[in-house]
Amino acid sequence: MGFSFKTFTGALALTTFIAMGAAEAKEMVMYNGGDVTSLDPQKMSGDWEDRVAGDIYEGLFTEDADSKPVPGVAESHTTSEDGLTWTFKLRDDAKWSDGEPVTAEDFVFSFKRLMDPKTAAEYAYLQYPIKNAEKINKGEIKDLDQLGVKAVDDKTLEITLEHPVPYYPSLLTHYTAYPLPKHLIDKVGDAWVQIGNIVTDGPYKPVEWVPGSHVLTAKNDQWYDTGSLDIDGVRFLSMEDVSAGFRRYQAGEIDLMTDYPKDQFKFIEENLKGQGHFAPFAGLYYYVMNSTKPPFDDVKVRQALSMAVNREVIGPKVLGSGEPAAYGWVPPGMNNYPEEGARVAWASEPYKQRVEEAKKLLEEAGYGPDKPLDITLSYNTNDNHKRVAVAIAAMWKPLGINVKLVNAEVKVHYANLRQGAFEIARAGWLADFNDPVNFLDLLKSGIEMNYGQWSNQEYNSLLDQAAKESDLEKRAEMLEKAEKIALDDSAALPIYFYLSENIVSPKIKGFKDNVFDKHRTRYLSMSE
């Protein structure tokens, strides 16, 4: 990992970009939130990394400006009658940034590497619909050649699934389905991802990466439609201080903010007309409780904590930007699911009544005025997360709960979540594809993103049954039943559903709000 300018091609690309000069180069500067962990798509996990990955790589399918799946490297595909075998014809002009062709074998190599337990890819489970993928990833099958992917020839890829997947093109837009440059990795191994070595197949390529500072991209002149690109490159800033970022935006130093200080909502609406983009978004803001540690292994404690959160005031008053309260796990509007989905049984109760019930639950669990409950609430460093944490700590105070707030930078925070080193912690999930299972999987046993390690066999069984059900109506019933089980057991604490939150300079054209909040640079243009 890291960056290096040792090879001539990487240095030349950067020199060429800089030599264009500020007057010629159209460089878009983006506030991108957290620090990018890697440029290897199988080592990524955050939306801030996806924004980089979606510019520099392209899978069989990609997203259009509305974030709907459209053909990418695959110019066409066919599906067998039983829905299990998908055959993709790759574009003849698909190339890596070093001019080498993108082949079916690159995809085979990538999927095998993704499922190899040695890779430890956090999101490998998203591609479990592929035949034998889960068994290989969990070490039950050792032979990677048993994975249901094969290269029929250089430009024909065949993928066999375990069961029909009605939303499969959406899955193939995800960065776990991107190809990898087998020819380069065979040659230099893990060093392939370093600047100076790395090659990519998307519209842009990375030319500079300074961890803790930025990733800089430039046009990939080997991409088949590079002539359509208006913006020459993007400087993805690694910044977690959203207030500082917003000041730089106002000074004209940043062109696109992917977050903003919530206390500036009214200011933006009144003074930066047309620049604030706040739209319904397939995402959930929630707290996870470590169910492996007392007292969070007690459903009464978990339910009391959840009931005492006054969700109705979080979006409008604490944040000031109107995010809708979440009384369920799956955001409204997901495909193949009822519009509302399941909700907690007490969602319509008056807040004062809920607080009294929460107090009783805590007393039954052994806590109260004589035995206060001391808990630690962790969040990743961000003014908005702090506001929510402070407000919720105040809501828990009347229950006799003392809250210690702990913050850490985003990489450290999520590392702690994965290791179970927390009591209660902030988390968020942005949909990877348009189906409820993308959210419900977060509470399934054995999934790495099930940070609280909540486990329920009936829940797991329903998800497994739903995965094999081709009748979408029956499948939706199973998934809704599973969601209800998780909510009744207070598996986690949903707080609000996201709004996409972008502040876009008038210089940037072509920015379209969409429920997945994906805005690939290829669809944008920039005026002086």
Side-chain angles (χ1 to χ4, degrees):
M1 205 180 292
F3 59 100
S4 162
F5 301 115
K6 288 182 181 175
T7 69
F8 180 70
T9 53
L12 180 61
L14 179 60
T15 304
T16 303
F17 189 88
I18 294 171
M20 293 174 74
E24 297 175 55
K26 288 185 180 179
E27 178 188 301
M28 182 171 73
V29 181
M30 181 189 296
Y31 172 97
N32 195 37
D35 196 13
V36 171
T37 305
S38 176
L39 296 178
D40 179 341
Q42 295 180 1
K43 303 291 185 183
M44 295 178 172
S45 64
D47 59 320
W48 60 96
E49 292 166 326
D50 173 72
R51 283 189 279 269
V52 178
D55 269 8
I56 64 178
Y57 296 101
E58 186 171 71
L60 295 164
F61 279 79
T62 187
E63 308 95 348
D64 66 11
D66 293 309
S67 201
K68 293 178 180 174
V70 291
V73 175
E75 65 178 11
S76 65
H77 73 277
T78 57
T79 312
S80 62
E81 215 170 294
D82 60 7
L84 296 181
T85 303
W86 293 61
T87 305
F88 302 91
K89 287 289 182 184
L90 308 191
R91 301 180 62 104
D92 286 332
D93 53 359
K95 294 179 182 177
W96 295 101
S97 51
D98 61 359
E100 288 293 314
V102 177
T103 67
E105 193 57 46
D106 288 325
F107 282 95
V108 173
F109 173 78
S110 178
F111 281 119
K112 285 182 177 178
R113 179 178 181 264
L114 177 75
M115 291 305 156
D116 189 337
K118 293 176 195 167
T119 305
E122 194 176 335
Y123 272 12
Y125 77 90
L126 282 180
Q127 302 302 334
Y128 277 1
I130 298 174
K131 186 177 180 181
N132 292 328
E134 183 172 7
K135 290 177 181 175
I136 290 171
N137 191 237
K138 291 182 175 178
E140 296 168 18
I141 294 178
K142 306 293 183 186
D143 183 5
L144 292 174
D145 289 337
Q146 296 300 308
L147 188 66
V149 290
K150 73 174 184 179
V152 177
D153 56 46
D154 280 353
K155 292 292 182 179
T156 308
L157 176 72
E158 186 180 279
I159 297 180
T160 304
L161 305 181
E162 289 277 358
H163 51 82
V165 179
Y167 52 87
Y168 197 48
S170 293
L171 272 186
L172 293 175
T173 67
H174 192 260
Y175 47 77
T176 48
Y178 290 161
L180 293 177
K182 183 177 185 298
H183 67 284
L184 177 61
I185 297 175
D186 284 346
K187 184 179 175 184
V188 301
D190 289 344
W192 78 274
V193 82
Q194 294 178 358
I195 297 294
N197 290 336
I198 190 169
V199 299
T200 62
D201 74 320
Y204 295 87
K205 58 187 177 183
V207 293
E208 186 176 58
W209 175 25
V210 182
S213 175
H214 65 271
V215 173
L216 178 65
T217 64
K219 284 182 184 179
N220 173 10
D221 59 8
Q222 297 295 322
W223 189 58
Y224 53 83
D225 197 22
T226 190
S228 69
L229 303 176
D230 180 74
I231 294 173
D232 293 310
V234 180
R235 187 175 294 270
F236 295 91
L237 299 180
S238 302
M239 287 187 74
E240 295 185 49
D241 186 338
V242 70
S243 296
F246 186 59
R247 287 193 294 272
R248 289 184 61 181
Y249 174 86
Q250 290 177 282
E253 298 172 14
I254 291 176
D255 303 305
L256 199 162
M257 294 284 296
T258 58
D259 196 359
Y260 75 104
K262 297 294 189 295
D263 59 359
Q264 296 298 310
F265 179 74
K266 286 186 179 176
F267 174 85
I268 292 165
E269 292 283 270
E270 292 170 6
N271 299 286
L272 301 176
K273 293 190 184 300
Q275 296 176 47
H277 289 252
F278 312 110
F281 181 32
L284 172 69
Y285 190 105
Y286 65 102
Y287 280 177
V288 61
M289 297 168 279
N290 194 334
S291 62
T292 67
K293 294 181 178 181
F296 310 106
D297 56 346
D298 187 334
V299 63
K300 291 179 179 178
V301 173
R302 297 197 303 269
Q303 186 175 336
L305 290 167
S306 188
M307 292 182 83
V309 173
N310 190 353
R311 292 158 176 80
E312 302 299 334
V313 306
I314 300 288
K317 295 183 179 177
V318 175
L319 297 174
S321 43
E323 284 80 357
Y327 291 102
W329 192 249
V330 178
M334 296 298 286
N335 280 350
N336 312 315
Y337 206 56
E339 176 65 26
E340 277 294 309
R343 293 293 178 264
V344 292
W346 39 265
S348 59
E349 290 181 10
Y351 180 62
K352 285 184 180 178
Q353 180 182 331
R354 282 165 33 200
V355 170
E356 291 308 309
E357 289 178 23
K359 286 178 181 176
K360 288 178 186 174
L361 286 167
L362 278 181
E363 284 173 17
E364 290 171 15
Y367 299 95
D370 298 329
K371 190 183 176 186
L373 178 57
D374 297 324
I375 62 176
T376 300
L377 171 57
S378 306
Y379 62 94
N380 53 294
T381 307
N382 178 288
D383 288 347
N384 299 327
H385 301 330
K386 183 177 180 180
R387 285 191 189 94
V388 174
V390 168
I392 289 178
M395 294 170 191
W396 286 338
K397 190 73 175 171
L399 276 63
I401 297 175
N402 302 316
V403 181
K404 178 185 177 184
L405 299 181
V406 175
N407 69 294
E409 65 174 358
V410 68
K411 285 194 293 187
V412 174
H413 176 73
Y414 275 97
N416 289 339
L417 263 60
R418 286 190 288 273
Q419 293 161 15
F422 69 95
E423 291 187 341
I424 299 181
R426 177 264 160 189
W429 189 259
L430 313 179
D432 295 306
F433 55 92
N434 199 347
D435 192 85
V437 76
N438 190 214
F439 288 88
L440 296 171
D441 268 347
L442 297 175
L443 299 174
K444 190 178 183 186
S445 300
I447 297 296
E448 190 169 1
M449 269 64 73
N450 181 3
Y451 302 122
Q453 296 184 52
W454 175 78
S455 184
N456 181 288
Q457 199 48 53
E458 187 182 359
Y459 181 90
N460 296 338
S461 179
L462 281 166
L463 291 195
D464 289 340
Q465 290 174 49
K468 297 167 186 169
E469 180 56 66
S470 55
D471 184 318
L472 291 178
E473 208 168 295
K474 288 181 182 176
R475 177 178 179 270
E477 288 174 7
M478 292 175 187
L479 295 178
E480 189 175 16
K481 187 177 177 183
E483 184 182 16
K484 188 73 167 66
I485 288 169
L487 294 172
D488 286 347
D489 205 47
S490 298
L493 199 163
I495 298 173
Y496 63 78
F497 295 122
Y498 280 112
L499 295 174
S500 56
E501 304 165 338
N502 299 284
I503 315 297
V504 185
S505 165
K507 292 192 297 183
I508 305 300
K509 311 296 181 187
F511 188 96
K512 294 181 73 174
D513 293 321
N514 60 71
V515 293
F516 280 83
D517 197 28
K518 290 187 189 288
H519 310 278
R520 302 308 187 195
T521 308
R522 72 182 75 174
Y523 304 119
L524 304 178
S525 60
M526 192 172 177
S527 60
E528 295 303 325

